[in-house]
Amino acid sequence: MSLRHALLSLLTVEPMTGYDLYKVFESSVGHVWHAPDSQIYPELKRMESEGLVTGEDIPWGQRGKKRQYTITEEGVAHFRGWISTPLEYARTRDPAHLKAAYLEWADPEAAREQMRGHIAHHQALLRQWQERIYELEHDTNPMLTKRLKITPPEKHEATIAYKHFTYEGLIARAEAEIRWATRGLELIDRLNS
Amino acid sequence: MSLRHALLSLLTVEPMTGYDLYKVFESSVGHVWHAPDSQIYPELKRMESEGLVTGEDIPWGQRGKKRQYTITEEGVAHFRGWISTPLEYARTRDPAHLKAAYLEWADPEAAREQMRGHIAHHQALLRQWQERIYELEHDTNPMLTKRLKITPPEKHEATIAYKHFTYEGLIARAEAEIRWATRGLELIDRLNS
DNA sequence: GAAAACATGTAACCGGTTACATGATTCT
DNA sequence: AGAATCATGTAACCGGTTACATGTTTTC
């Protein structure tokens, strides 16, 4: 149930429509949290009915309208409460490592293809996260820029530092996965020579 | 839908009942893949109806009976096919890192508690996986021992090596998470001094 | 005028979790 | 005799995915 917390985190910056939020999930934030529009719209309605946000229809063009959601005090408290609550970790369920444990069942080329896929996947993530770090260091992330504008200057350092720290962790993880799969390729070669 | 592949991987060793499989998931294998009994029993039925396994009622005590499942040739082919098929990676959804990105919303002690929880979680995983490595190196894992008995000797090395490789990857990941959260604690101290 | 982007939903399904329910066997 | 373990399920729910559906506005 972290979707609503991801939504709330964005709504602490400024009021947004479902489509605005969807676009953010599709771009930068989407590399930490993904959500399809079909999940966002109903969740916003539920959050409105629970008083975490208020919705307001605002005109859009001649006949159109869109619904803009504003976080409530209760929503802010809810978000802060979630951040402060110890995370419950889900039991392990890891298809990539489950497959890796039984690679002797695949022929060597299929096994190599698994490892190459793993490397490609994590290299793509790595690039995305390095791009986020670049944005942080050059203040080119629109959401963060807006956030800093409404944040007291003495909290700017922490606001940036925790996001930097987050992406560093994701980068370290991606690099570890790439190293692991690279060793996997070497192992496959060794076992099939 | 990897549950059925996890079940098939175990059934390649010997016929087992739902409860047998459940126990294995609760112990060693459960640290790579977890499944509750309420998911295992219906899945086995479905797999039987799809011809991946055959079920046989065998007597248990005076009046009791239990259903033992044997993997079919089709089941073996299905498992091998899965291992050889490139994995589709799910979009990122990572509550721990989502929270970390907004730790400025928590007070320092709650933020530290998050990091300590992350460290404790991954240290517990680390111990489990180191235990699995120990088992591999000393041949004290019952399932693996049985597996090797029905595996041609020339494939023993690969069978063990891929499992070793898998756990090494999980260990590297846990160590990276612990390092990350440890840096997180340092960051919290620095920002609040 | 057409295409792309903006805007918002519903419905069916799927894998997984939690709670509930029941009974037999084995061990102490 | 009682407790632990063995054994097998059902049902309600939950978060998430995929497919379907519709209409407006802006841009080229």
Side-chain angles (χ1 to χ4, degrees), chain B residues 1 3 33-34 36 38-39 60-64:
Chain B
M1 252 266 265
L3 170 61
W33 200 269
H34 171 255
S38 68
Q39 202 188 353
W60 168 58
Q62 251 77 69
R63 280 175 301 282

Side-chain angles (χ1 to χ4, degrees), chain A residues 70-158:
Chain A
T70 305
I71 193 167
T72 63
E73 271 185 50
E74 203 186 325
V76 171
H78 184 83
F79 178 65
R80 198 185 294 278
W82 178 72
I83 294 286
S84 306
T85 305
L87 183 60
E88 288 191 28
Y89 291 85
R91 302 285 291 267
T92 307
R93 200 171 285 109
D94 184 331
H97 283 75
L98 177 60
K99 272 196 188 186
Y102 295 99
L103 278 181
E104 72 270 17
W105 287 77
D107 60 56
E109 199 40 37
R112 283 190 197 97
E113 219 23 59
Q114 289 293 343
M115 293 298 112
R116 286 185 206 120
H118 200 76
I119 291 168
H121 173 71
H122 287 283
Q123 272 174 345
L125 291 178
L126 184 58
R127 277 192 295 273
Q128 290 298 335
W129 289 325
Q130 284 169 337
E131 177 66 22
R132 299 287 88 71
I133 291 269
Y134 181 91
E135 286 178 356
L136 288 181
E137 290 176 349
H138 297 80
D139 193 22
T140 55
N141 181 303
M143 285 301 293
L144 180 63
T145 304
K146 286 178 195 165
R147 185 182 292 280
L148 291 177
K149 274 196 192 121
I150 56 158
T151 302
E154 70 272 16
K155 293 205 79 182
H156 281 202
E157 188 191 0

Side-chain angles (χ1 to χ4, degrees), chain B residues 168-184:
Chain B
E168 276 172 357
L170 293 167
I171 285 172
R173 181 191 291 177
E175 286 172 342
E177 294 296 330
I178 292 166
R179 275 196 302 275
W180 175 70
T182 303
R183 285 208 317 279

Side-chain angles (χ1 to χ4, degrees), chain A:
Chain A
M1 252 269 264
S2 291
L3 170 60
R4 63 170 52 192
H5 304 113
L7 293 170
L8 288 173
S9 77
L10 297 173
L11 291 173
T12 55
V13 172
E14 61 177 357
M16 293 172 88
T17 68
Y19 191 73
D20 290 337
L21 289 158
Y22 166 66
K23 273 187 306 175
V24 179
F25 277 115
E26 283 299 284
S27 63
S28 61
V29 176
H31 302 291
V32 179
W33 200 269
H34 170 255
D37 55 353
S38 68
Q39 202 187 354
I40 291 170
Y41 291 116
E43 184 63 26
L44 284 169
K45 282 198 166 178
R46 241 173 283 136
M47 288 161 70
E48 186 179 1
S49 78
E50 293 174 36
L52 301 175
V53 297
T54 54
E56 186 196 359
D57 281 329
I58 59 174
W60 168 57
Q62 250 77 69
R63 282 174 301 283
K65 58 173 183 167
K66 54 186 182 178
R67 193 156 184 84
Q68 194 177 57
Y69 292 93
T70 305
I71 193 167
T72 63
E73 271 185 50
E74 203 186 325
V76 171
H78 184 83
F79 178 65
R80 198 185 294 278
W82 178 72
I83 294 286
S84 306
T85 305
L87 183 60
E88 288 191 28
Y89 291 85
R91 302 285 291 267
T92 307
R93 200 171 285 109
D94 184 331
H97 283 75
L98 177 60
K99 272 196 188 186
Y102 295 99
L103 278 181
E104 72 270 17
W105 287 77
D107 60 56
E109 199 40 37
R112 283 190 197 97
E113 219 23 59
Q114 289 293 343
M115 293 298 112
R116 286 185 206 120
H118 200 76
I119 291 168
H121 173 71
H122 287 283
Q123 272 174 345
L125 291 178
L126 184 58
R127 277 192 295 273
Q128 290 298 335
W129 289 325
Q130 284 169 337
E131 177 66 22
R132 299 287 88 71
I133 291 269
Y134 181 91
E135 286 178 356
L136 288 181
E137 290 176 349
H138 297 80
D139 193 22
T140 55
N141 181 303
M143 285 301 293
L144 180 63
T145 304
K146 286 178 195 165
R147 185 182 292 280
L148 291 177
K149 274 196 192 121
I150 56 158
T151 302
E154 70 272 16
K155 293 205 79 182
H156 281 202
E157 188 191 0
T159 300
I160 297 169
Y162 283 127
K163 282 148 202 66
H164 206 282
F165 165 64
T166 299
Y167 289 118
E168 277 173 356
L170 292 168
I171 285 172
R173 181 191 291 176
E175 287 172 342
E177 294 298 330
I178 292 165
R179 276 196 301 275
W180 175 69
T182 303
R183 286 209 315 279
L185 286 173
E186 290 161 12
L187 174 62
I188 295 164
D189 287 344
R190 186 170 71 71
L191 290 170
N192 295 282
S193 61

